Each structure stands twice: as structure tokens, then as C-alpha cells.
Amino acid sequence: MEFWGGFRIWVLSVCLILQCGYGFYLPGSYPLKHIVGDDLSVKVNSITSIDTEMPFSYYSLPFCQPQGGIKDSAENLGELLMGDRIENSPYLFKMYKNQTDVFLCKTDPLSDDQFKTLKERIDEMYQVNLILDNLPAIRYTKKEGYHLRWTGYPVGINFKGSYFVFNHLKFKVLVHKYEETNVASVMGTGDAAGVIQTIGKQELDAPGYMVVGFEVVPCSPLHNVDSVKNLKMYEKYPNPIQCDPASVSMQIKKGQPIVFTYDVTFEESDIKWPSRWDAYLKMEGSKVHWFSILNSLMVITFLAGIVLVIFLRTVRRDLTRYEELDKEAQAQMNEELSGWKLVVGDAFRAPANPALLCIMVGDGVQLLGMGIVTILFAALGFMSPASRGTLITGMLFFYMILGVAAGYVAVRLWRTICCADHRGWASVSWKAACFFPGIAFLILTTLNFLLWGSQSTGAIPLSLFVILLLLWFCISVPLTLVGGYFGAKAPHIEYPVRTNQIPREIPPQKYPSWLLVLGAGTLPFGTLFIELFFIMSSLWMGRVYYVFGFLFIVFVLLIVVCAEVSLVVTYMHLCVEDWKWWWKSFFASGSVAIYIFLYSINYLIFDLKSLSGPVSATLYLGYSLFMVLAIMFITGTVGFLSSFWFVHYLFSSVKLD
């Protein structure tokens, strides 16, 4: 109990330190108190579109700019990798003070390039993403009797060949009375510049409020350009503005300016601060998630039955009969043996390309550990979507730390295959540290050139590239070498039987062995494909994915199915005297990646019909390829390790002279 208590305190301390550095609050910390009349600054993120999957800077369009100039907010590594660019905006509110018909600015006359860019962004259905007190702006629409929720609002609309821009925003800020005024002086929300606030006695006595909701309604009224010539920012527009979301009037034209205005109203709400993200995280289709888990359990039960039959009725029975015979009878029986018993002297013969297998298994263990730990932390609430980028940052952190496991497993497996020869362990460790990261670096660099060419904020800056390379070679590689050193010092795994000098000829098979290996991947895919739809929708349709509890269960079930499938396929190959099981056990479960990639192509064709341009399609396929390669390493490693244990257990009970 003392150990677990100390561990929990350590985890909370580390997460608190990391979260403070990231600039956003840890779920469960205290909110920031806003006194009536306090300034509330709205921030802007990159504009995004599900049609192109390429984010762009908010100020790449002719929008109003803040009076003090554009300033970047503090962003963590994960935010930069995801293409987020959070900046200040000219939208400024006063806590609990309604404002109507607020003039923001009149832009310069639209140039040819600005007019062309604005039309392209409207055609590509780009969304503007605003943030207030760390809450994204949410928009509600009604379609066919259903209420739909969207984050952000569209730049404009193309109506019968004419382009209209949403130049008036009607904001609604939901607030809740601040209840614990004595803790505000200790903790803030950590929203960039206000991590720790010092509050005086007068402010403690004053009634305060906290932001629990941020809604926006975009409108396109026709403003009179001449009437705002002498207006300054935040002054009142001379005429009442009628905001009708169902109609558009502000048509953009080349050489004409755009006038931007806004309204803001405050409304007291019953929503408490810990529940303010519920509007974004409302879990829809929970029955579908449970159906996915039930489907996986059925597949596992079916495979477990097959494994049980193999162990209890076949292997155990054969071994028991074999052990009960005397040596003379055993020798006679050896002449009449068939199936897996005939490959006793070849079952542990070194596979082709043993170093590559060891490297891939080591990298697979590293990715597997990263996946389990990251999803577990996310399910426990340490990686809330309120803390932007922490999921990606956490994955990178855990991946680097688990380089120790990659080096250890790769080198120890190498020594086992090479019969305790420890020479070359440094080379294996180095290759394990560079193999999968090198593939990822190649894919992401290629995609990054496409994003650079499109001037997208999704492109990784050169400075971040340098940081990633330093993390790779200064942290991940040394840790992998340390793990390899311990793997070289650890005792290798002893084979239970000797390997014959002359390899046994594999009899001709009725069907190609690769056909069984490829077909085996359908069972793990069957446990995953329902949850895969929600993950793909989150990645490419701009939806928030937060059912990490379901994802953790599905991930564990996937591991179990992969282990069972690979074990069964390995046994089937041994039964037909095919002793080349090493790579086949890896790809029997790893072949699920092929079906996931085919599903990704199907999702691109049927669900992302509006994805425009070859660049967007290339980005989608590139990121999908990177994802399925990681899945292949994970599932293949699980399958190989389970098969290695099974073969070792199977032949450890066989006595040979």
C-alpha cells in the first residue's frame, strides 16, 4: 500500500509539472476566477478543413488583427506536431457585460491574391477555431430534426456561384458563480499568461465567475462601409445589426473591404466547472462500442477454444503417451512419428535475416509499451483534450523512455538465436534505435515537404525538426544502447532441444503457407474494425475522441487475439512439418496491418469523398501508412513472442537422446 501511495503521488507530481509547462490545466485542478468587468481575451487556432486536412494560420486570411500585434501563445511539442498555432485575436470581452454591435475593423480592399485565397478557403469548407478560457467555440445547428454540434464556424459560404463571408459573430458565454474563492490565489487555469494569479483582498470579496461554455453563431449582414470610416476598434456600430444565420448578405468582391463586427452576451449556467467539457465529449454510440467489445470477446472465446484443444487434447495427450514409453519403444515410435514431432531437430534453427527479426521485435516491444501506457494514462484522465497536445507529447515521452526495453529485447533475442554469442550486440542495439524511427522520419519528412509547399501550419518547423533529432539521438538512442548492454549481460534463453546440422526438407504443401499467414490477419481485424471507425472519424473528420476506456479494452483484446492467432498458425505449420515458423508467426498477427490499410483506402473513397486534391490524398495515405506500420510492429511482436513461448514449451517436454 505504501508503494502504490508513493507511486500515485509521483505520477501526479510529474504530470502537474509537465502540465504547468504546457500552459493548460490538469483535469481536476482549480479554475480561474474572473471578477465582473475583467478582460476576457479570445484566442485563435489554425483554420482547418476535413476537405484538405491541411491547417493554415488564421491570419493567412484577411481578418482583423489585434491592436498590439499578433502574438503566439505558448505551445507544447504535441501542439506543434498536430499543426496547432494558437495566437491572440482582436475579440475582447468584459466579464458579465453584454455588448452589442461592436465594431471590430474594416479591412483593406481585397487584393487579387486575398480574394482568390478567400474563395479557395470557402470552397474547401475551412473552419475558424476560436478559444476562450481554453474552451473551443462550439456551434449548434439543426438538420432534419437533429441537433448537431460543431467546433468553430465556417469562413464563408458559396451560394449560387457568389461568395459570402461571415463577418458578424454572435457570441454567448456561459458562466457559473465561483464557489471556492479561497483557492484562486494559489492555482489558475494555466491559460498561458495566468498560471499563477495573485488576488487581493478586495477581489476575494468581490463576486466572481468562471467560464463554462463558449458558443458562437456566425452571420453575414451587409455593412455600410462609409458609416465606419471614423470608427475605432470596439466602438459601437452606428446601426443595429440583424444577425440571421439563415441568410447571407456580405458578398466578397475584389477591391472592396470587409467590415467585421460582433455581439457578446453572458448567461449564467448550472454547468459546473468540472463538467464544462461535457458538451464536447458527449459519448455517442456507446452501444456500438459495447458491441465491438462483445464481438472481440466472441472471437477470443472461439480462438481460446482452439488453443485449449491444441494444449489439452493434442499436445498433452501426445506428450503423455510419449513419456510413458521406455527408451526402446520411444526409438521405435520416433520412426513412426508424424507432424510437429518430426521437426524436433529443426524447430529452433535460426531464421533468415535473424538480426532484422530481432530489431523488429525490439521496436515492436517499444511501441507496444508506449501504446499501453499512453492509452492507460488517457483513460485515467491525465491526457484530457483540454490539455492540447499532451497525448502526442506523452507518446513521444513514453516511446523514448521505452527504448531501454527495445534494446534489451532485441539483444537478448539476438543472443538466443546466435547461441549466446554476445558479439554484435551494439550493432543490433543501434539498428533497433534507428530502424522504426528512421522509417517514420522518412515518411514524415516527405509529407512535410508537401505541407511546406502548401504553406500549411501542419508543416513541422525547421527548429522543431532539430529538436526531434536531438531527442532521437541524445535520449532515445542512448537509452536503447543501455537496454542492449543489459540484454548482452542477461543470460540467453536456452533451447530445450538440439538443432540438427542438416536441415530437414519441408514436404510440399497443398496450399501456399503465406495464404494462411495473410488470412490469419482477418481475425484481429474483426476485433478492431468497429472501434477503428471512431478513431478514423476523430483523426480525419475533426471529432473529439475521448472513449479511451473502450479503446484500452479493445487494445487488450487485440493483443490477446493476436497471441492466439499466431499460436494456432504456428502449430498448424509445425503439424505439416514446416519448421520455418519464426517470420510466419510475426506476420500471422502482423498481417492485420494490411487489412487496416485497405480499410483506410475504403474510408478515403466512401467517407472522405470531399477530400480535394492529390496533395490531401497523399497526406492521408502517408499518415495511414505510418499508422499501419506501427500496428504491424506491435501485433507482429505479440504474435512472435507468444509463438516463441509456445514452441519452447512444446519441445521442452520432449526427451531425446
Side-chain angles (χ1 to χ4, degrees):
M1 292 299 291
E2 291 181 0
F3 169 78
W4 284 113
F7 176 76
R8 280 158 51 188
I9 293 172
W10 178 81
V11 169
L12 287 171
S13 302
V14 170
C15 290
L16 184 59
I17 293 170
L18 290 174
Q19 290 297 115
C20 290
Y22 296 159
F24 291 103
Y25 66 87
L26 178 72
S29 63
Y30 294 102
L32 181 64
K33 175 183 177 181
H34 299 284
I35 309 298
V36 175
D38 279 358
D39 288 341
L40 295 177
S41 300
V42 177
K43 296 183 179 181
V44 291
N45 203 344
S46 302
I47 59 172
T48 54
S49 169
I50 61 173
D51 281 10
T52 65
E53 303 298 345
M54 289 189 293
F56 290 96
S57 170
Y58 173 83
Y59 293 107
S60 64
L61 295 180
F63 290 138
C64 300
Q65 298 189 6
Q67 291 177 332
I70 302 170
K71 299 176 182 177
D72 292 332
S73 295
E75 294 174 323
N76 58 52
L77 188 62
E79 285 178 300
L80 294 173
L81 290 175
M82 292 176 66
D84 288 344
R85 296 295 183 272
I86 300 175
E87 299 163 313
N88 61 333
S89 82
Y91 293 101
L92 185 64
F93 308 153
K94 298 287 186 181
M95 170 55 78
Y96 223 128
K97 289 191 176 182
N98 297 339
Q99 297 171 285
T100 58
D101 307 334
V102 180
F103 169 73
L104 201 59
C105 80
K106 182 188 76 171
T107 67
D108 295 329
L110 295 180
S111 64
D112 291 347
D113 290 340
Q114 288 177 329
F115 180 70
K116 181 182 176 182
T117 303
L118 197 53
K119 286 201 306 180
E120 288 178 354
R121 299 295 179 259
I122 292 174
D123 281 334
E124 292 165 345
M125 300 177 62
Y126 268 85
Q127 303 280 320
V128 178
N129 300 295
L130 305 178
I131 303 169
L132 176 65
D133 196 30
N134 206 29
L135 280 179
I138 194 168
R139 176 170 56 96
Y140 292 96
T141 59
K142 191 174 182 180
K143 185 177 181 181
E144 298 178 357
Y146 292 96
H147 290 278
L148 304 177
R149 299 187 307 274
W150 309 86
T151 53
Y153 67 91
V155 172
I157 188 171
N158 181 355
F159 183 70
K160 296 182 179 180
S162 298
Y163 292 87
F164 298 86
V165 68
F166 290 114
N167 60 328
H168 180 80
L169 300 180
K170 188 176 182 180
F171 295 106
K172 181 196 286 185
V173 181
L174 303 180
V175 296
H176 188 82
K177 277 191 176 180
Y178 195 85
E179 296 168 352
E180 299 181 12
T181 55
N182 60 327
V183 296
S185 59
V186 181
M187 294 288 293
T189 62
D191 192 8
V195 176
I196 299 178
Q197 300 287 335
T198 304
I199 297 178
K201 185 176 181 182
Q202 292 181 351
E203 292 180 336
L204 285 173
D205 296 335
Y209 294 89
M210 45 195 173
V211 178
V212 294
F214 184 38
E215 302 174 10
V216 63
V217 177
C219 304
S220 180
L222 182 60
H223 289 317
N224 187 345
V225 177
D226 295 331
S227 64
V228 298
K229 285 183 178 180
N230 299 321
L231 285 183
K232 296 181 179 179
M233 187 176 286
Y234 306 126
E235 290 185 349
K236 193 174 183 65
Y237 188 77
N239 302 315
I241 300 173
Q242 301 297 324
C243 180
D244 183 9
S247 64
V248 288
S249 304
M250 187 59 210
Q251 183 178 355
I252 59 171
K253 296 179 181 179
K254 192 185 304 181
Q256 291 190 5
I258 304 174
V259 176
F260 287 92
T261 55
Y262 71 92
D263 297 339
V264 58
T265 58
F266 288 83
E267 183 179 304
E268 195 162 343
S269 171
D270 293 333
I271 300 173
K272 294 185 180 295
W273 189 82
S275 304
R276 66 180 194 155
W277 273 87
D278 289 356
Y280 307 86
L281 306 179
K282 282 183 179 177
M283 186 180 63
E284 298 175 354
S286 59
K287 292 182 180 179
V288 179
H289 292 282
W290 284 117
F291 175 76
S292 172
I293 292 173
L294 182 62
N295 174 60
S296 303
L297 288 173
M298 291 177 65
V299 174
I300 285 177
T301 304
F302 171 72
L303 290 173
I306 296 178
V307 173
L308 200 63
V309 168
I310 291 174
F311 271 101
L312 297 182
R313 299 195 58 185
T314 306
V315 178
R316 275 294 183 187
R317 183 188 61 194
D318 291 349
L319 289 177
T320 302
R321 287 175 53 196
Y322 192 82
E323 295 296 337
E324 289 176 352
L325 299 175
D326 54 22
K327 289 185 178 181
E328 185 177 344
Q330 284 183 11
Q332 182 180 357
M333 185 177 177
N334 285 338
E335 297 176 0
E336 302 172 357
L337 288 179
S338 63
W340 62 268
K341 311 172 199 68
L342 288 172
V343 296
V344 173
D346 297 276
F348 293 98
R349 189 176 300 280
N353 301 313
L356 180 61
L357 179 64
C358 297
I359 291 165
M360 293 179 71
V361 171
D363 286 346
V365 168
Q366 187 176 10
L367 289 167
L368 175 64
M370 178 202 72
I372 292 176
V373 176
T374 303
I375 297 174
L376 181 60
F377 270 70
L380 293 174
F382 288 104
M383 296 178 181
S384 167
S387 305
R388 295 175 188 82
T390 52
L391 190 65
I392 302 296
T393 307
M395 290 174 67
L396 285 173
F397 174 76
F398 293 131
Y399 181 82
M400 290 187 298
I401 295 300
L402 289 168
V404 176
Y408 179 85
V409 172
V411 170
R412 192 171 184 198
L413 182 60
W414 165 258
R415 293 190 64 229
T416 299
I417 294 175
C418 295
C419 302
D421 187 3
H422 65 275
R423 291 176 296 178
W425 71 266
S427 175
V428 173
S429 299
W430 170 257
K431 292 175 182 176
C434 297
F435 187 66
F436 179 78
I439 295 174
F441 187 79
L442 180 63
I443 294 174
L444 296 179
T445 302
T446 304
L447 298 179
N448 210 55
F449 278 118
L450 296 177
L451 292 169
W452 268 336
S454 303
Q455 297 181 337
S456 168
T457 59
I460 302 174
L462 184 61
S463 58
L464 185 58
F465 250 110
V466 175
I467 292 173
L468 291 175
L469 288 173
L470 289 175
L471 290 174
W472 180 9
F473 287 104
C474 297
I475 298 179
S476 182
V477 171
L479 287 177
T480 308
L481 291 173
V482 169
Y485 173 79
F486 285 109
K489 294 295 182 182
H492 70 283
I493 301 172
E494 296 278 354
Y495 289 150
V497 293
R498 293 194 303 270
T499 301
N500 296 334
Q501 292 184 352
I502 302 175
R504 180 184 181 84
E505 183 180 356
I506 300 174
Q509 308 297 325
K510 295 180 180 179
Y511 50 86
S513 60
W514 59 263
L515 196 61
L516 180 61
V517 170
L518 289 179
T522 57
L523 289 172
F525 178 74
T527 68
L528 183 67
F529 80 98
I530 296 178
E531 199 67 31
L532 193 61
F533 171 79
F534 292 96
I535 297 172
M536 298 291 281
S537 298
S538 172
L539 290 174
W540 304 111
M541 301 292 284
R543 300 172 186 171
V544 179
Y545 185 89
Y546 199 57
V547 285
F548 290 106
F550 283 112
L551 182 61
F552 184 75
I553 296 173
V554 171
F555 191 65
V556 171
L557 296 179
L558 176 67
I559 292 173
V560 175
V561 171
C562 288
E564 293 178 342
V565 163
S566 184
L567 192 150
V568 172
V569 169
T570 300
Y571 180 74
M572 292 175 68
H573 278 103
L574 292 176
C575 284
V576 294
E577 303 175 30
D578 185 354
W579 45 267
K580 296 182 178 180
W581 59 271
W582 299 77
W583 281 107
K584 291 171 185 174
S585 67
F586 186 92
F587 287 111
S589 54
S591 61
V592 66
I594 298 175
Y595 298 99
I596 294 176
F597 190 70
L598 293 176
Y599 179 85
S600 301
I601 297 175
N602 173 80
Y603 191 85
L604 172 63
I605 297 172
F606 295 103
D607 292 277
L608 293 177
K609 297 177 184 177
S610 58
L611 197 65
S612 59
V615 174
S616 299
T618 304
L619 288 171
Y620 173 84
L621 293 175
Y623 287 124
S624 298
L625 178 62
F626 170 67
M627 179 181 70
V628 298
L629 283 175
I631 292 174
M632 184 195 72
F633 275 72
I634 293 172
T635 54
T637 296
V638 171
F640 171 79
L641 293 177
S642 63
S643 293
F644 184 85
W645 169 83
F646 170 71
V647 174
H648 191 279
Y649 170 81
L650 181 63
F651 290 103
S652 62
S653 302
V654 177
K655 293 181 179 179
L656 293 176
D657 294 333

